[in-house]
Amino acid sequence: MAVTKADLADALYHELGLNKREAKEFVELFFERLRDALERGEDVKLSGFGNFGLREKNSRPGRNPKTGEAIPISARRVVTFRASQKLKQRVEENSKLLGDKLNMLRVQVNAGSG
Amino acid sequence: MTKSDLIDVLAVEQPQLIYRDVELAVKGLLDRMASALSEGERIEVRGFGSFSLHHRPSRVGRNPKTGAAVEVPDKYVPHFKPGKELRERVDRAIKR
C-alpha cells in the first residue's frame, strides 16, 4: 500500500506528539507551501531529499493515442524532481536487499497490463 | 525556497507550535518519505504528486579514464510524477 497524507500525519502524531488535527493540518500546509513556491516560479531545494525545479517546454505536435488524430501540445511549464545524492544512495543500498520484492512487484504489474 | 525557508514560513503560520517542533516536523516528514521510498513503497499525495522507484537495468559502462568496459549493475532510482493540481497551477502561472 502506498504512503498517503494520512500516514504522514500519523508519523507526526506518533513521533512528535502533535495532536491529530495539528498533524493533519501540518501535512496539508507543508505540501501547499511547496506548491506555492513552484507556482511562483521558485525552485524548491530540500537538502537530503531532493530538488524540485521548473522547465519550460516548447509546443510540439502530439497525437491522440487512441484515434491517431494529430493535436498540437501547447508550450507549458512543468515540474521536475531530482533526488539528492543521499536519497539515491539510500534507495540503491536498500534496493539490493529489496531486489526480490521489487522484482515481484514488476512482474505483477507487467502481468496486469499484458 | 530551501528547507530552512520552508521551516520559517510554516513556523509563522503555525504559531501554536514552537520553532523547534516545526523544524522536527519538516525533517520528520522528509525522513518518513525517504524511508518509504528506500523500502520500495510508493508515496501518493493527492494534488501534489506521487513518488515511486524506477528500475534501471544493468548495462555495460566504460571507465572514462581507461576506456575499460565495466558492468554497471541494475538499480532503482526515485521518480516523481507531479499531480494534477500541481501541474495545472504551475502551468497556469505562466499563461496568466
Side-chain angles (χ1 to χ4, degrees):
Chain A
M1 261 305 282
V3 170
T4 62
K5 279 192 283 199
D7 298 312
L8 296 174
D10 267 1
L12 294 182
Y13 167 71
H14 288 295
E15 285 159 35
L16 276 163
L18 300 197
N19 71 44
K20 291 200 172 177
R21 190 188 46 78
E22 281 172 341
K24 187 168 176 256
E25 200 179 302
F26 193 91
V27 171
E28 287 292 345
L29 215 50
F30 173 86
F31 289 108
E32 180 55 24
R33 288 299 152 255
L34 299 183
R35 277 191 296 253
D36 251 9
L38 292 165
E39 187 175 7
R40 282 197 309 268
E42 248 184 88
D43 290 354
V44 175
K45 300 182 177 187
L46 304 174
S47 71
F49 186 76
N51 296 347
F52 295 90
L54 296 160
R55 270 184 110 95
E56 311 290 334
K57 300 271 196 180
N58 289 328
S59 65
R60 60 189 169 89
R63 247 172 224 294
N64 178 331
K66 266 188 198 147
T67 62
E69 183 194 356
I71 346 168
I73 297 173
S74 61
R76 60 192 60 204
R77 177 185 275 174
V78 298
V79 177
T80 61
F81 175 69
R82 271 181 73 93
S84 72
Q85 210 47 44
K86 193 174 155 194
L87 177 60
K88 281 192 215 166
Q89 229 167 38
R90 201 164 155 183
V91 165
E92 246 184 88
E93 278 161 20
N94 247 306
S95 62
K96 285 174 196 121
L97 308 170
L98 284 167
D100 292 343
K101 178 183 161 191
L102 292 170
N103 272 324
M104 246 163 54
L105 285 174
R106 283 218 318 280
V107 171
Q108 281 166 10
V109 169
N110 292 341
S113 63
Chain B
M1 185 170 77
T2 63
K3 185 156 63 182
S4 47
D5 296 333
L6 175 62
I7 293 167
D8 289 350
V9 176
L10 292 172
V12 171
E13 288 180 319
Q14 300 278 286
Q16 77 284 11
L17 299 177
I18 61 168
Y19 189 85
R20 181 78 189 132
D21 281 347
V22 174
E23 202 175 0
L24 287 173
V26 167
K27 290 180 177 168
L29 287 181
L30 294 173
D31 196 62
R32 177 74 183 83
M33 288 166 50
S35 73
L37 278 174
S38 65
E39 280 155 29
E41 245 181 314
R42 280 172 63 82
I43 304 165
E44 285 179 9
V45 180
R46 172 87 34 111
F48 184 76
S50 61
F51 296 88
S52 59
L53 298 184
H54 277 188
H55 183 247
R56 296 272 176 272
S58 68
R59 61 191 172 86
V60 178
R62 297 218 170 254
N63 179 327
K65 268 189 196 148
T66 65
V70 272
E71 154 108 23
V72 181
D74 73 318
K75 64 177 178 184
Y76 288 89
V77 294
H79 176 78
F80 174 67
K81 182 170 189 256
K84 187 162 183 269
E85 186 191 339
L86 178 60
R87 270 200 325 263
E88 289 177 352
R89 280 172 61 177
V90 162
D91 189 38
R92 220 184 305 129
I94 52 163
K95 290 183 175 153
R96 251 185 248 133

PDB file of all heavy atoms in Angstrom, chain B residues 57-74:
ATOM      1  N   PRO B  57      17.890  -1.098 -15.676  1.00  0.00           N
ATOM      2  CA  PRO B  57      18.539  -2.396 -15.872  1.00  0.00           C
ATOM      3  C   PRO B  57      20.062  -2.273 -15.896  1.00  0.00           C
ATOM      4  O   PRO B  57      20.588  -1.172 -16.113  1.00  0.00           O
ATOM      5  CB  PRO B  57      18.004  -2.860 -17.222  1.00  0.00           C
ATOM      6  CG  PRO B  57      17.328  -1.704 -17.845  1.00  0.00           C
ATOM      7  CD  PRO B  57      17.092  -0.657 -16.804  1.00  0.00           C
ATOM      8  N   SER B  58      20.747  -3.372 -15.697  1.00  0.00           N
ATOM      9  CA  SER B  58      22.214  -3.337 -15.726  1.00  0.00           C
ATOM     10  C   SER B  58      22.657  -3.026 -17.151  1.00  0.00           C
ATOM     11  O   SER B  58      21.944  -3.283 -18.114  1.00  0.00           O
ATOM     12  CB  SER B  58      22.781  -4.674 -15.267  1.00  0.00           C
ATOM     13  OG  SER B  58      22.471  -5.650 -16.221  1.00  0.00           O
ATOM     14  N   ARG B  59      23.822  -2.405 -17.267  1.00  0.00           N
ATOM     15  CA  ARG B  59      24.323  -2.038 -18.592  1.00  0.00           C
ATOM     16  C   ARG B  59      25.835  -2.116 -18.576  1.00  0.00           C
ATOM     17  O   ARG B  59      26.448  -2.153 -17.502  1.00  0.00           O
ATOM     18  CB  ARG B  59      23.873  -0.620 -18.968  1.00  0.00           C
ATOM     19  CG  ARG B  59      24.386   0.416 -18.005  1.00  0.00           C
ATOM     20  CD  ARG B  59      23.727   1.777 -18.210  1.00  0.00           C
ATOM     21  NE  ARG B  59      24.141   2.675 -17.125  1.00  0.00           N
ATOM     22  CZ  ARG B  59      25.256   3.403 -17.124  1.00  0.00           C
ATOM     23  NH1 ARG B  59      26.085   3.342 -18.144  1.00  0.00           N
ATOM     24  NH2 ARG B  59      25.552   4.178 -16.111  1.00  0.00           N
ATOM     25  N   VAL B  60      26.410  -2.098 -19.762  1.00  0.00           N
ATOM     26  CA  VAL B  60      27.864  -2.070 -19.839  1.00  0.00           C
ATOM     27  C   VAL B  60      28.306  -0.625 -19.941  1.00  0.00           C
ATOM     28  O   VAL B  60      27.943   0.085 -20.876  1.00  0.00           O
ATOM     29  CB  VAL B  60      28.376  -2.876 -21.050  1.00  0.00           C
ATOM     30  CG1 VAL B  60      29.886  -2.803 -21.133  1.00  0.00           C
ATOM     31  CG2 VAL B  60      27.913  -4.313 -20.952  1.00  0.00           C
ATOM     32  N   GLY B  61      29.051  -0.176 -18.936  1.00  0.00           N
ATOM     33  CA  GLY B  61      29.558   1.191 -18.953  1.00  0.00           C
ATOM     34  C   GLY B  61      31.039   1.179 -19.247  1.00  0.00           C
ATOM     35  O   GLY B  61      31.630   0.122 -19.454  1.00  0.00           O
ATOM     36  N   ARG B  62      31.608   2.377 -19.298  1.00  0.00           N
ATOM     37  CA  ARG B  62      33.057   2.456 -19.554  1.00  0.00           C
ATOM     38  C   ARG B  62      33.718   3.325 -18.519  1.00  0.00           C
ATOM     39  O   ARG B  62      33.160   4.358 -18.127  1.00  0.00           O
ATOM     40  CB  ARG B  62      33.332   3.054 -20.938  1.00  0.00           C
ATOM     41  CG  ARG B  62      32.791   2.228 -22.046  1.00  0.00           C
ATOM     42  CD  ARG B  62      33.720   2.196 -23.242  1.00  0.00           C
ATOM     43  NE  ARG B  62      33.226   1.196 -24.173  1.00  0.00           N
ATOM     44  CZ  ARG B  62      33.809   0.012 -24.340  1.00  0.00           C
ATOM     45  NH1 ARG B  62      34.915  -0.302 -23.676  1.00  0.00           N
ATOM     46  NH2 ARG B  62      33.299  -0.854 -25.186  1.00  0.00           N
ATOM     47  N   ASN B  63      34.860   2.904 -18.084  1.00  0.00           N
ATOM     48  CA  ASN B  63      35.669   3.760 -17.229  1.00  0.00           C
ATOM     49  C   ASN B  63      36.169   4.894 -18.116  1.00  0.00           C
ATOM     50  O   ASN B  63      36.869   4.664 -19.097  1.00  0.00           O
ATOM     51  CB  ASN B  63      36.853   2.948 -16.690  1.00  0.00           C
ATOM     52  CG  ASN B  63      37.755   3.808 -15.809  1.00  0.00           C
ATOM     53  OD1 ASN B  63      37.908   5.005 -16.037  1.00  0.00           O
ATOM     54  ND2 ASN B  63      38.350   3.185 -14.818  1.00  0.00           N
ATOM     55  N   PRO B  64      35.755   6.142 -17.812  1.00  0.00           N
ATOM     56  CA  PRO B  64      36.095   7.239 -18.730  1.00  0.00           C
ATOM     57  C   PRO B  64      37.599   7.473 -18.856  1.00  0.00           C
ATOM     58  O   PRO B  64      38.067   8.036 -19.857  1.00  0.00           O
ATOM     59  CB  PRO B  64      35.390   8.456 -18.110  1.00  0.00           C
ATOM     60  CG  PRO B  64      34.995   8.063 -16.734  1.00  0.00           C
ATOM     61  CD  PRO B  64      34.976   6.565 -16.667  1.00  0.00           C
ATOM     62  N   LYS B  65      38.366   7.066 -17.869  1.00  0.00           N
ATOM     63  CA  LYS B  65      39.823   7.279 -17.941  1.00  0.00           C
ATOM     64  C   LYS B  65      40.508   6.232 -18.806  1.00  0.00           C
ATOM     65  O   LYS B  65      41.332   6.548 -19.643  1.00  0.00           O
ATOM     66  CB  LYS B  65      40.431   7.244 -16.538  1.00  0.00           C
ATOM     67  CG  LYS B  65      40.498   8.627 -15.915  1.00  0.00           C
ATOM     68  CD  LYS B  65      41.295   8.620 -14.628  1.00  0.00           C
ATOM     69  CE  LYS B  65      41.006   9.898 -13.855  1.00  0.00           C
ATOM     70  NZ  LYS B  65      41.069   9.702 -12.428  1.00  0.00           N
ATOM     71  N   THR B  66      40.165   4.967 -18.557  1.00  0.00           N
ATOM     72  CA  THR B  66      40.896   3.890 -19.228  1.00  0.00           C
ATOM     73  C   THR B  66      40.148   3.335 -20.427  1.00  0.00           C
ATOM     74  O   THR B  66      40.734   2.645 -21.257  1.00  0.00           O
ATOM     75  CB  THR B  66      41.141   2.727 -18.247  1.00  0.00           C
ATOM     76  OG1 THR B  66      39.855   2.169 -17.894  1.00  0.00           O
ATOM     77  CG2 THR B  66      41.826   3.197 -16.980  1.00  0.00           C
ATOM     78  N   GLY B  67      38.832   3.612 -20.512  1.00  0.00           N
ATOM     79  CA  GLY B  67      38.057   3.058 -21.613  1.00  0.00           C
ATOM     80  C   GLY B  67      37.667   1.602 -21.397  1.00  0.00           C
ATOM     81  O   GLY B  67      37.021   1.004 -22.253  1.00  0.00           O
ATOM     82  N   ALA B  68      38.053   1.042 -20.249  1.00  0.00           N
ATOM     83  CA  ALA B  68      37.735  -0.363 -19.977  1.00  0.00           C
ATOM     84  C   ALA B  68      36.238  -0.536 -19.768  1.00  0.00           C
ATOM     85  O   ALA B  68      35.590   0.300 -19.140  1.00  0.00           O
ATOM     86  CB  ALA B  68      38.494  -0.838 -18.742  1.00  0.00           C
ATOM     87  N   ALA B  69      35.689  -1.615 -20.309  1.00  0.00           N
ATOM     88  CA  ALA B  69      34.262  -1.901 -20.125  1.00  0.00           C
ATOM     89  C   ALA B  69      34.028  -2.400 -18.708  1.00  0.00           C
ATOM     90  O   ALA B  69      34.772  -3.233 -18.207  1.00  0.00           O
ATOM     91  CB  ALA B  69      33.817  -2.944 -21.133  1.00  0.00           C
ATOM     92  N   VAL B  70      32.999  -1.840 -18.059  1.00  0.00           N
ATOM     93  CA  VAL B  70      32.622  -2.322 -16.724  1.00  0.00           C
ATOM     94  C   VAL B  70      31.124  -2.561 -16.700  1.00  0.00           C
ATOM     95  O   VAL B  70      30.356  -1.791 -17.271  1.00  0.00           O
ATOM     96  CB  VAL B  70      32.961  -1.309 -15.598  1.00  0.00           C
ATOM     97  CG1 VAL B  70      34.356  -1.502 -15.072  1.00  0.00           C
ATOM     98  CG2 VAL B  70      32.720   0.108 -16.044  1.00  0.00           C
ATOM     99  N   GLU B  71      30.749  -3.610 -16.038  1.00  0.00           N
ATOM    100  CA  GLU B  71      29.325  -3.912 -15.916  1.00  0.00           C
ATOM    101  C   GLU B  71      28.738  -3.045 -14.799  1.00  0.00           C
ATOM    102  O   GLU B  71      29.219  -3.061 -13.663  1.00  0.00           O
ATOM    103  CB  GLU B  71      29.183  -5.405 -15.594  1.00  0.00           C
ATOM    104  CG  GLU B  71      27.918  -5.775 -14.840  1.00  0.00           C
ATOM    105  CD  GLU B  71      26.917  -6.528 -15.702  1.00  0.00           C
ATOM    106  OE1 GLU B  71      27.337  -7.126 -16.695  1.00  0.00           O
ATOM    107  OE2 GLU B  71      25.723  -6.493 -15.354  1.00  0.00           O
ATOM    108  N   VAL B  72      27.748  -2.228 -15.132  1.00  0.00           N
ATOM    109  CA  VAL B  72      27.060  -1.415 -14.125  1.00  0.00           C
ATOM    110  C   VAL B  72      25.805  -2.189 -13.710  1.00  0.00           C
ATOM    111  O   VAL B  72      24.953  -2.456 -14.553  1.00  0.00           O
ATOM    112  CB  VAL B  72      26.657  -0.036 -14.692  1.00  0.00           C
ATOM    113  CG1 VAL B  72      25.978   0.818 -13.634  1.00  0.00           C
ATOM    114  CG2 VAL B  72      27.880   0.689 -15.249  1.00  0.00           C
ATOM    115  N   PRO B  73      25.712  -2.579 -12.445  1.00  0.00           N
ATOM    116  CA  PRO B  73      24.576  -3.417 -12.040  1.00  0.00           C
ATOM    117  C   PRO B  73      23.245  -2.669 -12.115  1.00  0.00           C
ATOM    118  O   PRO B  73      23.219  -1.444 -12.145  1.00  0.00           O
ATOM    119  CB  PRO B  73      24.899  -3.795 -10.593  1.00  0.00           C
ATOM    120  CG  PRO B  73      25.902  -2.809 -10.122  1.00  0.00           C
ATOM    121  CD  PRO B  73      26.619  -2.275 -11.328  1.00  0.00           C
ATOM    122  N   ASP B  74      22.159  -3.395 -12.177  1.00  0.00           N
ATOM    123  CA  ASP B  74      20.846  -2.749 -12.222  1.00  0.00           C
ATOM    124  C   ASP B  74      20.585  -2.036 -10.907  1.00  0.00           C
ATOM    125  O   ASP B  74      21.189  -2.367  -9.885  1.00  0.00           O
ATOM    126  CB  ASP B  74      19.735  -3.766 -12.524  1.00  0.00           C
ATOM    127  CG  ASP B  74      19.454  -4.669 -11.336  1.00  0.00           C
ATOM    128  OD1 ASP B  74      20.440  -5.109 -10.693  1.00  0.00           O
ATOM    129  OD2 ASP B  74      18.277  -4.926 -11.050  1.00  0.00           O
TER     130      ASP B  74
END
